Amino acid sequence: AVPSTLHCKSTWQLACVMTSQAPFIKVEDIGPETSPVNTIVKVTSSEVKLQCLGNPNKRFIEAVVGDETGTVLLRLPHAHMKLCNLGSALVIRGARVEMFDGRIRLELGQWSRISAIEGAVFLPDVALDRHISGREYVLVAC
């Protein structure tokens, strides 16, 4: 339900209003149920990969990004390659958590945005025990 204080003329305007109000979180707070994810991170490594199944010759970027609380794997379309330089600071808005082999991976959706920023002074915590994509999650049926 749309709050009565919002007067949106279209679904697109509502999406913009709702996305702009979502809080930014730290990497350590990202979990399998977290969505959407808004965070500020730095690139610690990136690699261009080639998709083999479904759509051959489709390239994408897998980057390890993080903040002072930990790191996570971020999967991006090849068009965003220029943003993924080592040490680049990125603002990620509206990303979704995808589970792949029981591990967390961030991906951009239709309404997601990513942009580079200058002046970020934090250093990512690259310790292996702080890499949340390295943890395996198991779905438990109740």
Side-chain angles (χ1 to χ4, degrees), residues 15-25 35-39 92-94:
C16 289
V17 170
M18 294 178 79
T19 302
S20 66
Q21 294 176 353
F24 280 77
I25 61 173
S35 188
V37 175
N38 296 328
T39 189
I92 300 170
R93 292 183 181 94

Side-chain angles (χ1 to χ4, degrees), residues 19-126:
T19 302
S20 66
Q21 294 176 353
F24 280 77
I25 61 173
K26 296 291 186 183
V27 170
E28 72 179 352
D29 298 326
I30 298 172
E33 306 278 327
T34 309
S35 188
V37 175
N38 296 328
T39 189
I40 299 173
V41 292
K42 279 191 178 179
V43 177
T44 62
S45 69
S46 66
E47 181 179 357
V48 177
K49 296 203 172 184
L50 185 64
Q51 183 171 328
C52 297
L53 299 174
N55 190 0
N57 299 326
K58 180 179 180 183
R59 296 175 194 267
F60 59 91
I61 307 295
E62 278 193 353
V64 176
V65 298
D67 60 17
E68 61 276 4
T69 65
T71 57
V72 65
L73 186 65
L74 174 65
R75 187 174 182 193
L76 299 167
H78 190 259
H80 294 294
M81 185 175 85
K82 62 184 173 209
L83 294 175
C84 292
N85 297 324
L86 185 63
S88 296
L90 304 172
V91 176
I92 300 170
R93 292 183 181 94
R96 66 176 184 262
V97 172
E98 291 288 329
M99 299 301 291
F100 182 74
D101 285 341
R103 300 177 192 282
I104 289 178
R105 176 170 72 189
L106 285 183
E107 293 188 3
L108 297 184
Q110 179 181 3
W111 300 105
S112 303
R113 299 289 177 258
I114 185 168
S115 57
I117 58 168
E118 297 292 326
V121 293
F122 63 89
L123 291 174
D125 185 349
V126 295

